[in-house]
Amino acid sequence: MSENDKLDLASPDLVNENFEKLSELFPNCVTESAEGKAIDFDLLKQELSHAVVEGNKERYRLEWPGKKEAIVTANLPTTKTLRPVREDSVDFDNTENLYIEGDNLEVLKLLQESYLGKIKMIYIDPPYNTGKDFVYKDNFSRDSQEELLESGQKNEYNQRLVANPETSGRYHSDWLSMMYPRLRLARNLLSDDGVVFISINNIEIHNARKICDEIFSENNFFECITWNKRVPKNDKGIGNIHEFVLIYVKNSELEHSFIMPKDGLEEIFDMAKKFKSKGIDITEAELELKKFYKKRGFDRGITLYNSIDHNYKIWGKINMSWPNANTFGPRYDVLHPKTKKPVKVPDRGWRWKESTFNEALDYENVVELPDGSFRCGTIWFAKDENTQPSSIKYLEDVSDMLLRSIVSLKSDGGIETEKLFANKSIFSYPKPTSLLRRLVESIKMENGIVLDFFSGSASTADALLQYNSESLKRNKYIMVQLPEDLDENLKDADNNTKQTIQNSIDFLDSLGKPHLITELGKERIRRAAKKIKEETGADIDYGFRVYRLDESNMEDVYYMPQEYTQDKLDLFADNVKSGRTSDDLLAQVMLDWGLPLSLKIEQVNINGKKLFKVAENSLYACFDDDIDEAFAKAIAEEQPLRIVFKDSGFKDDTAKTNVKQLLKQLSPETEMKVI
């Protein structure tokens, strides 16, 4: 017997019935409250009155239950730290790329000093709030770690993911509360000329715009790109083939220009190469080129370039008339290279001043073209002086155009990752690198940092490596991803994703790795880097440092000494927690001192002690015991800017005092700290 066949055996829920009736009559009065869905009675009163109903003061702003808590969440400090995982890293000491495992809210807080104003580009592909995915839950009524574990709100990997079905009374509010503090913190990291790209679909696009307008400022909204995925999703009686990418800049007062390569260039240049290799007549080649343009339906940005020179390079004629219809350009005579007579002057004058035009002319080297026209320097002339001349531009020199607000690229991210993972579907709906490369290429980064704090399948890292290998740039990435438990995800997965998650679990079993999405992300980067290196041989940074979010390396007394009595303080003669390594301490020191975690790290031995050198002499750190005056003298010779020791690492109290005095005397510019 089905559930629908069973007797209810309960009286009608009149409140719920009334709610549904009101919702049907006045859908605009349905809102969300801390308890779930509710009726906005002030608005309902207005709907039932012909006069303006006096009530709460109206204001233009985005509100939702939990917004104040979201603001508090963004501002709360954290005592957590990032611990390096050398065994999962590739070329740890030299690479400048980072892969960070942990809750992105905590990670963004930890990066505030080290990367304040240093990120050129942020790209995120957050949960779309489809009702089938998860959102982060940051606020808990009980903060005991044990209680959270027992209640299932968190697991041993510190996950804070919860299901957010469409039936939830706080469906939109929970999503907004998740996004708001993360975007607030992310904005601080953007450089003044920085840009943020946010992938989103039509469920939360309106809310995403509103919170971004509030956080980044409405003035800094740049554009909303429509991504045409070409493959329709037919689940609502219409073939949906698009998603969106919001673009915000940090400072709209700076000049921003987003560019993209013209469509079809590779095919066009390949065609020209074939013409040349086969020795096809220039006139015939130009006809074939025009037929190809018409067949492909290219716009004027391509079709204008329909001429071919003797080296089979493609060029076009650019109009030389004054472009402004309300004003006039200069008028002067230009002689035809064959007839020596003045050519026709445009009605509104020339685009260029006379000196510029003369620099472009070369009457000593005139070339007659197959159709009887002429090339004179970089100016094209017709057979006689009765036709206005044009400027010559080569397609290869104008291969870029402004990024279009509609981008048509196949959603082939799944196929792309399958090729990396032995033709197995490993990731659910990964973004294609073609889309991410289009975004990276649009801002022409030279030596910038790209941050993705919803890293997922790590498509952003893959795309940046591809871009670096082709452009030979030194851009770096920071990927941040929560170590989602794939076994838990499998339990709640819909039929479309169950097999993919199971494939992921089977693959990780074959590697002997934990069933975490971060293990897949790291492996994707390793495989993508290997493929790119084999295909291009480019001299770029293929490595990455792995860091894992964890509790502080320091004992709690380090932060809350007032809670401990003297007899308990003796337990903490060494402030460092048991099991924490020198690598762990160095990472925390770098974060506390505001140094980027990507700086080059060198390990040397001085007087029998391990010394870390960060960015040459920017920071020295030694966490060994028995630090004495002899060691201080050896260090002072190298004049480091900063040096840090363990507070318990000195040979004795006298040695601690003497080391400090020696450094002041022998290396006065060195700043010494202890932990």
Side-chain angles (χ1 to χ4, degrees), residues 632-666:
K633 290 178 181 178
I635 292 295
E637 292 178 6
E638 303 192 21
Q639 304 284 305
L641 295 177
R642 310 174 184 90
I643 187 165
V644 63
F645 304 104
K646 280 195 310 180
D647 195 25
S648 62
F650 296 94
K651 191 172 183 179
D652 50 42
D653 289 342
T654 301
K656 179 178 179 179
T657 302
N658 290 343
V659 165
K660 188 173 183 178
Q661 292 302 319
L662 280 169
L663 286 172
K664 276 187 178 182
Q665 178 184 348
L666 301 176

Side-chain angles (χ1 to χ4, degrees), residues 39-159:
I39 296 294
D40 184 333
F41 288 105
D42 287 334
L43 193 54
L44 182 60
K45 288 178 184 178
Q46 187 61 70
E47 290 285 357
L48 300 175
S49 174
H50 291 294
V52 174
V53 176
E54 298 297 330
N56 293 332
K57 185 178 180 181
E58 295 178 329
R59 57 180 64 83
Y60 181 77
R61 69 182 183 185
L62 176 63
E63 293 284 3
W64 70 91
K67 182 177 182 179
K68 291 180 180 178
E69 289 86 349
I71 295 172
V72 170
T73 299
N75 294 330
L76 283 174
T78 181
T79 59
K80 295 184 184 298
T81 190
L82 297 176
R83 300 179 65 187
V85 187
R86 281 184 175 267
E87 60 272 22
D88 285 0
S89 305
V90 177
D91 194 20
F92 184 95
D93 287 331
N94 299 303
T95 184
E96 295 185 86
N97 299 313
L98 305 180
Y99 188 94
I100 304 175
E101 304 176 24
D103 182 341
N104 54 17
L105 179 66
E106 300 292 337
V107 173
L108 287 169
K109 290 180 179 181
L110 288 171
L111 299 182
Q112 289 297 297
E113 289 190 64
S114 295
Y115 291 92
L116 181 68
K118 294 179 180 177
I119 304 296
K120 171 66 175 178
M121 169 181 162
I122 293 175
Y123 170 80
I124 56 171
D125 180 22
Y128 280 7
N129 211 23
T130 62
K132 300 174 183 178
D133 50 14
F134 300 90
V135 296
Y136 290 74
K137 190 173 183 66
D138 300 314
N139 297 315
F140 299 97
S141 58
R142 297 177 297 177
D143 57 7
S144 166
Q145 195 76 4
E146 290 74 23
E147 288 177 344
L148 291 172
L149 286 167
E150 289 172 5
S151 66
Q153 294 181 78
K154 294 172 70 175
N155 62 20
E156 68 267 35
Y157 296 110
N158 199 37
Q159 283 184 268

Side-chain angles (χ1 to χ4, degrees), residues 223-238:
E223 187 54 83
C224 177
I225 290 178
T226 299
W227 171 34
N228 174 11
K229 301 185 293 183
R230 297 180 179 174
V231 179
K233 183 179 180 182
N234 306 306
D235 61 349
K236 290 187 178 180
I238 193 168

